[in-house]
Amino acid sequence: TAELRDITVAVVREKEQPFTIEKARIRGPQDDEVLVRVVATGLCHTDLIVRDQYYPVPLPAVLGHEGAGIVEALGPGVKDLKVGDHVVLTYGACGHCNPCSGGHGAYCKDFFGLNFGGGARDGSTAIQDPDGKPLHDHFFAQSSFATYALSRENNAIKVPDDAPIELLGPLGCGIQTGAGAVINSLKVTAGSSFASFGAGAVGLSAVMAARVAGATTIIAIDVVPSRLELAKELGATHVINSREVDVVDAVREITGGGANFALESTGRPDVLAQGIEALGGLGVIGVVGAPKLGTKAEFDVNNLLLGGRSIRGIVEGDSVPKVFIPQLVQLYQQGRFPFDKLVKFYPLDQINQAAEDSTRGVTLKPILTIG
Ligand code: NAD
Ligand code: ZN
């Protein structure tokens, strides 16, 4: 394990600056770690808000948190995974605090440290530049904008060999977040109404999941017309361009008084306020969109109280990845969760183009092909 392996990585060196493609070295797996040859990695909006330092991950850093690949080497403490297994890398959780023990790893007491700490919990990094200077890593317990990535066994999720591994990385974050918010957190019911505020990768995953769950009114809201068109293909019964109409009135009209369930995935406090207003009595809105730390939202307290409405924050769709990711793969293979329609592939060295296309609304879910 003292051996260092040559790798290629995409690095963020400074706030709001482009990714740079660099040579680097990574150590071998220790303890319960696995070394994964990365085949492809999704680019999630969260990579970009960390590049821009909404969340203070120390720089220079190797980001990337929707990795998919093949297990190349095992640490001595690995129990179940084998070399050659196909895996999707997901978020890190300690596995033994109270929330983890209760099946809620997304609320692990050490979630921020394990996913945004910029290194192992002892402060060391596994990746160094060619001069031997450490590069911050362990991003979402993986740092998968790289040809090889280290994860722990508990966040490397085995998936079937016959599923297209190059497609599956986004199941580790953005897609499991939208789908899990609907299925695991909000528990959207058959025959109900659901409004997705935001029709990006997360919001459209929520739309597909609402169809799987049996919602009969599914409303997608965005400001980009092409995303609303795709939403219709993926199961939205109604779409609203919130630049053109009053979205609260429109949702109330479509649902006959307000939605049973809603999800906010734009990361905008004004949209969260609209989402609360657009709920019907006893309606629930989940919040997954991530603004800058310290962002405040404003809404009429009595509107929440008098209708018995609720707001809840959601991380990673409350999923137990070992259970939920294989379920999503199966839904995809049955044609009931066609998330491949969100995807566009780019080679790793086109990462800045992928980021720009995502920001401009041209590409929903970029996947960087690596190996
Ligand atoms: P995205 O950029 O693809 O989607 C955001 C969408 O919001 C875009 O389609 C955009 O056009 C739309 N939008 C912007 N302004 C709007 C407005 N005023 N009204 C309606 N729609 C508007 O991003 P994504 O990858 O889908 O991620 C969504 C958010 O979720 C991000 O903030 C990301 O950081 C966060 N996220 C959270 C978790 C979690 O665990 N909570 C996990 C993954 C991503
Ligand atoms: Zn993400």
Side-chain angles (χ1 to χ4, degrees):
T1 53
E3 264 166 54
L4 293 172
R5 180 184 295 261
D6 290 328
I7 59 174
T8 302
V9 294
V11 183
V12 175
R13 292 215 161 254
E14 279 176 75
K15 177 180 175 175
E16 292 172 353
Q17 292 305 304
F19 296 90
T20 52
I21 303 294
E22 302 184 15
K23 298 281 170 214
R25 285 181 297 200
I26 192 167
R27 65 161 170 78
Q30 303 169 350
D31 306 322
D32 60 346
E33 289 175 336
V34 294
L35 181 73
V36 174
R37 179 168 68 75
V38 182
V39 172
T41 303
L43 178 82
C44 170
H45 196 79
T46 306
D47 294 302
L48 304 181
I49 68 176
V50 170
R51 176 196 65 188
D52 298 343
Q53 295 279 283
Y54 283 32
Y55 290 175
V57 175
L59 302 178
V62 180
L63 306 181
H65 66 285
E66 293 185 338
I70 297 168
V71 175
E72 175 95 4
L74 305 172
V78 171
K79 295 199 174 74
D80 296 326
L81 288 174
K82 293 180 195 60
V83 169
D85 279 349
H86 290 198
V87 291
V88 168
L89 303 180
T90 188
Y91 65 86
C94 78
H96 49 74
C97 67
N98 274 357
C100 281
S101 301
H104 301 288
Y107 309 103
C108 173
K109 284 190 173 158
D110 201 15
F111 190 88
F112 209 86
L114 286 168
N115 293 286
F116 298 103
R121 299 311 285 134
D122 66 2
S124 66
T125 72
I127 305 180
Q128 52 177 245
D129 73 10
D131 299 331
K133 288 204 207 86
L135 289 172
H136 288 289
D137 62 4
H138 283 71
F139 186 61
F140 274 82
Q142 55 181 286
S143 289
S144 53
F145 290 154
T147 48
Y148 287 85
L150 278 172
S151 95
R152 289 181 50 208
E153 183 170 29
N154 79 351
N155 66 298
I157 310 301
K158 184 169 156 57
V159 290
D161 289 353
D162 64 357
I165 190 68
E166 69 284 357
L167 184 64
L168 303 185
L171 296 179
C173 181
I175 303 221
Q176 111 174 313
T177 293
V182 164
I183 291 172
N184 305 322
S185 320
L186 298 172
K187 298 188 168 49
V188 168
T189 48
S192 67
S193 56
F194 169 70
S196 190
F197 287 81
V202 172
L204 289 176
S205 300
V207 164
M208 287 186 282
R211 179 162 69 175
V212 169
T216 42
T217 302
I218 302 174
I219 307 169
I221 299 139
D222 207 287
V223 291
V224 180
S226 60
R227 296 191 165 196
L228 296 174
E229 279 311 305
L230 182 59
K232 286 190 212 160
E233 257 182 69
L234 298 176
T237 57
H238 301 77
V239 297
I240 300 171
N241 186 329
S242 54
R243 283 221 174 107
E244 289 170 359
V245 298
D246 182 311
V247 61
V248 175
D249 287 349
V251 173
R252 285 200 183 138
E253 163 125 14
I254 293 164
T255 54
N260 301 129
F261 302 98
L263 187 69
E264 154 34 48
S265 66
T266 71
R268 297 177 50 123
D270 54 331
V271 176
L272 172 58
Q274 291 171 344
I276 296 167
E277 296 289 324
L279 289 175
L282 295 171
V284 189
I285 182 164
V287 181
V288 295
K292 285 189 173 143
L293 295 179
T295 303
K296 308 272 196 298
E298 231 177 65
F299 58 88
D300 185 334
V301 176
N302 277 301
N303 187 33
L304 192 73
L305 179 160
L306 294 171
R309 300 177 174 89
S310 35
I311 312 172
R312 60 156 305 183
I314 301 169
V315 175
E316 298 290 339
D318 285 326
S319 68
V320 177
K322 214 171 180 170
V323 176
F324 195 54
I325 289 175
Q327 288 175 345
L328 291 176
V329 171
Q330 215 169 3
L331 284 165
Y332 165 73
Q333 288 179 317
Q334 292 181 355
R336 299 163 71 193
F337 189 74
F339 75 99
D340 56 314
K341 295 209 172 125
L342 311 184
V343 163
K344 184 173 171 194
F345 290 100
Y346 297 77
L348 179 63
D349 62 11
Q350 294 294 308
I351 184 170
N352 292 308
Q353 186 67 49
E356 193 190 320
D357 289 356
S358 166
T359 304
R360 284 175 47 230
V362 178
T363 301
L364 268 153
K365 173 51 77 180
I367 295 184
L368 305 163
T369 51
I370 295 173

